[in-house]
Amino acid sequence: MKIGYILASFVLAFNLWAQEIDIYTENYPPFNMKENDKLTGISVDILGEILKRTGSTQTLKDVKLTNWSRAYSIAQKKKNSMVFSTTRTKSREKLFKWVGPITETAIGVLAPKDRHIVINSAGELNKYKIGTILKDIGELLLLEAGVDKKQIQSVSGENSIELSFNKMENNRIDMFAYDITVANTNAKKAGIDIDKYENVYSLKKGELYYAFNPATDDLIIEKWQKALEEIKNDGTYEKIRNRY
């Protein structure tokens, strides 16, 4: 009986070790991005280390790059799937199982400086047309703050951030709600003068995580979390952050 129990435990452990995770991400520099046909970024490099340390047969080549709304939806519906980098919030808490935090994040509302827009409360945002990325944290936070859906214009796709800046430039929207660091990084890459824009309202300061489908086995989550803690404790984490 004892031998059978040990054998069953070994088989279970092996199955968990061999279990592949469908990993999805978006272009979200400097955390996850594609450069020279290769995925890179803070969250990507940390992920690579986690895969190695958990003994996974998967590599960064197995990560699927797509638009945020698709990646986010798949991770909620498909067992053994994961999306990153995802801001952890109260409303999202039960939608996923979480490994992290990866790093800090600050979500704000950007607007052209020459508009001289001043926002003192969330309610004042309803005076303006605000751009967001579909199903992104910016959209979610605006809705949680009581901004009318009619005032929010969400877009999706690979160049959605650049498109949002162009919409501000052409007065099709007044503002853009997004992670400030990521918005600035993308704007610079696209040749947009970020000095023409300012953060007129802060929506949230939070943290980024790897977000797993809720049906994912807890032992997998524990294994990934342990690997991440090791990365933070042995200096690898700081080395990765310093690259960017």
Side-chain angles (χ1 to χ4, degrees):
M1 181 72 77
K2 190 174 181 181
I3 293 173
Y5 175 78
I6 293 172
L7 182 60
S9 299
F10 175 78
V11 170
L12 175 61
F14 177 79
N15 286 339
L16 286 173
W17 173 81
Q19 212 167 66
E20 290 194 347
I21 302 294
D22 287 328
I23 305 172
Y24 295 88
T25 193
E26 63 164 338
N27 195 47
Y28 197 67
F31 306 112
N32 17 283
M33 54 193 170
K34 196 169 189 178
E35 289 186 346
N36 301 318
D37 293 322
K38 180 183 176 183
L39 274 178
T40 187
I42 297 169
S43 302
V44 172
D45 290 2
I46 292 171
L47 171 62
E49 278 293 321
I50 291 175
L51 291 173
K52 290 177 188 174
R53 296 185 188 213
T54 55
S56 175
T57 56
Q58 292 180 275
T59 69
L60 293 178
K61 291 181 180 179
D62 295 306
V63 179
K64 302 171 182 70
L65 180 69
T66 184
N67 64 68
W68 175 253
S69 59
R70 180 172 181 269
Y72 187 75
S73 295
I74 291 173
Q76 287 184 72
K77 298 172 184 175
K78 189 176 181 182
K79 186 179 179 181
N80 292 330
S81 60
M82 182 268 279
V83 60
F84 74 100
S85 302
T86 309
T87 304
R88 188 173 184 173
T89 67
K90 187 176 180 179
S91 62
R92 285 175 168 175
E93 188 64 33
K94 293 182 180 179
L95 298 178
F96 302 99
K97 288 182 178 178
W98 305 88
V99 170
I102 305 168
T103 189
E104 305 79 24
T105 183
I107 315 300
V109 182
L110 290 165
K113 288 180 180 177
D114 61 11
R115 293 286 304 277
H116 305 293
I117 294 173
V118 177
I119 304 293
N120 295 308
S121 67
E124 294 178 7
L125 293 169
N126 275 304
K127 300 176 185 177
Y128 302 94
K129 292 175 289 183
I130 310 172
T132 67
I133 307 301
L134 185 64
K135 297 184 182 179
D136 178 69
I137 187 64
E139 179 186 73
L140 176 66
L141 291 174
L142 288 175
L143 293 171
E144 288 182 354
V147 176
D148 194 317
K149 281 186 179 180
K150 294 178 183 178
Q151 298 303 110
I152 301 172
Q153 294 187 20
S154 299
V155 296
S156 185
E158 194 172 328
N159 298 314
S160 51
I161 299 170
E162 184 179 351
L163 173 62
S164 298
F165 274 96
N166 288 336
K167 287 176 76 173
M168 278 195 287
E169 186 71 25
N170 295 317
N171 296 316
R172 292 168 59 196
I173 57 174
D174 303 302
M175 307 171 178
F176 177 46
Y178 204 59
D179 181 294
I180 300 301
T181 299
V182 179
N184 289 345
T185 303
N186 271 274
K188 288 176 183 176
K189 284 178 176 289
I192 296 167
D193 184 3
I194 196 60
D195 291 332
K196 292 168 61 178
Y197 299 88
E198 62 183 340
N199 181 18
V200 296
Y201 191 77
S202 294
L203 289 168
K204 180 182 177 64
K205 287 186 178 180
E207 295 171 317
L208 297 175
Y209 280 71
Y210 300 104
F212 290 74
N213 179 272
T216 306
D217 195 293
D218 285 338
L219 289 177
I220 294 175
I221 302 300
E222 290 170 14
K223 199 169 164 185
W224 278 58
Q225 187 66 49
K226 182 181 178 183
L228 177 58
E229 295 305 324
E230 288 175 358
I231 290 164
K232 289 183 176 181
N233 292 334
D234 68 12
T236 305
Y237 179 81
E238 279 306 312
K239 286 179 183 177
I240 290 173
R241 283 185 62 97
N242 290 337
R243 291 176 196 161
Y244 301 92

